[in-house]
Amino acid sequence: MVAVTYSPGEALEGFVTSLAEATTRPVEVVLADNGSTDGVPEQVAARHPHVRLLPTGGNVGYGAAVNAGLSGAPGRYALVANPDVHFEPGAVDELLAVAARWPRAATVGPAIRTPQGELYPSARDLPRLSTGAGHALLGWAWPGNPWTARYRREREAPRERAAGWLSGSCFLVDLVAFRAVGGFDPGYFMYFEDVDLAERLSRAGYLHVYAPSAVVVHEGGHATRRDPHRMQRVHHTSALRYLSRQYPGPRHAPLRLALRAGLGGRMLVSYVSGRVAAGARFQRRADDVGSGGREAGA
């Protein structure tokens, strides 16, 4: 498995130790390190023989670091996860069991619970202009608006199902499929690299499966808290890169200009309002995950 580290702090030790109960299989953990200065990745790798440190040469971004960590990885499946994830017992083995039920699945993602017991909407539809615009404009002030609800699918009870894309904070990936589409696009420094990967895999005929029978806890927000304004700029830049690529060519030039203006305006509003790190509040508790309903794979 691969975790991208950038001065991860105390969370990394909990991440590594939680794997012991998450799977009965032996696991090699690769820490693709983007230039940590806290010494934690080195300390954790020294304490745990199954953990290997892989310096990437600098802060190359999330997708590029994952690509480096998965280069030459053996076997059919690998786990990609943020270093502030805590695996609940049996979570990794359950992801593998779900992958076996869905032979066309390129990625399988668990239910992601916040430390406050909320269910993070990690299995969403691919963003489209209609739902994306409504979500971007209204999500802060009206989290339950129909566009956000449709995009994040939070009104559905958690169940095993296909999704448009899965959060890159934790998922199981089929390495054959991953390599077939060239892995993550390193042009995304952070954010939307998981959306872009899912869209390319979908075009190649693969599926993305949400598996709420597997549960992880994700603290989240480390990068945003460290440099919130920069991360907000990166988020909007990545959104523009992704959406602009969905509408290529001269005839879509006016639309791309409108997207640039709209996303730029939204970023300025986030600065002025002081809600730099804020998104739409989560709408569901995580009380009913861990035994999720099953749907036959395709």
Side-chain angles (χ1 to χ4, degrees), residues 242-255:
Y242 174 80
L243 291 170
S244 294
R245 288 185 163 197
Q246 304 307 302
Y247 301 97
R251 71 188 184 95
H252 288 130
L255 176 57

Side-chain angles (χ1 to χ4, degrees), residues 228-247:
H229 285 92
R230 183 190 180 210
M231 289 301 99
Q232 191 72 342
R233 288 195 302 273
V234 169
H235 184 276
H236 285 85
T237 300
S238 294
L240 179 62
R241 178 183 176 89
Y242 174 80
L243 291 170
S244 294
R245 288 185 163 197
Q246 304 307 302
Y247 301 97

Side-chain angles (χ1 to χ4, degrees), residues 74-263:
R76 175 70 182 274
Y77 295 102
L79 196 65
V80 175
N82 285 6
D84 56 351
V85 162
H86 182 95
F87 296 90
E88 295 204 345
V92 175
D93 283 344
E94 182 61 20
L95 289 175
L96 289 165
V98 173
R101 292 197 292 271
W102 293 74
R104 290 172 54 208
T107 59
V108 180
I112 299 176
R113 181 163 56 85
T114 71
Q116 295 74 37
E118 300 167 309
L119 182 63
Y120 177 74
S122 59
R124 309 186 185 190
D125 286 345
L126 286 171
R128 302 299 180 200
L129 277 183
S130 57
T131 53
H135 171 63
L137 292 171
L138 300 173
W140 287 336
W142 181 17
N145 73 79
W147 295 276
T148 295
R150 187 179 308 123
Y151 168 52
R152 301 202 313 193
R153 299 183 67 169
E154 285 186 284
R155 292 179 181 171
E156 301 178 22
R159 62 185 176 86
E160 190 174 305
R161 61 171 174 84
W165 66 280
L166 301 168
S167 170
S169 61
C170 183
F171 62 59
L172 186 77
V173 62
D174 183 322
L175 291 172
V176 174
F178 185 80
R179 289 164 179 157
V181 299
F184 281 115
D185 179 353
Y188 293 90
F189 179 76
M190 257 184 86
Y191 306 112
F192 276 82
E193 71 283 318
D194 42 11
V195 184
D196 171 77
L197 175 67
E199 194 271 337
R200 288 184 286 117
L201 285 164
S202 295
R203 279 194 278 115
Y206 293 101
L207 297 175
H208 312 284
V209 177
Y210 182 46
S213 50
V215 182
V216 303
V217 180
H218 183 211
E219 181 180 340
H222 282 199
T224 302
R225 289 194 296 269
R226 189 177 294 148
D227 194 349
H229 285 92
R230 183 190 180 210
M231 289 301 99
Q232 191 72 342
R233 288 195 302 273
V234 169
H235 184 276
H236 285 85
T237 300
S238 294
L240 179 62
R241 178 183 176 89
Y242 174 80
L243 291 170
S244 294
R245 288 185 163 197
Q246 304 307 302
Y247 301 97
R251 71 188 184 95
H252 288 130
L255 176 57
R256 293 195 298 274
L257 286 173
L259 287 168
R260 183 181 295 273
L263 287 166

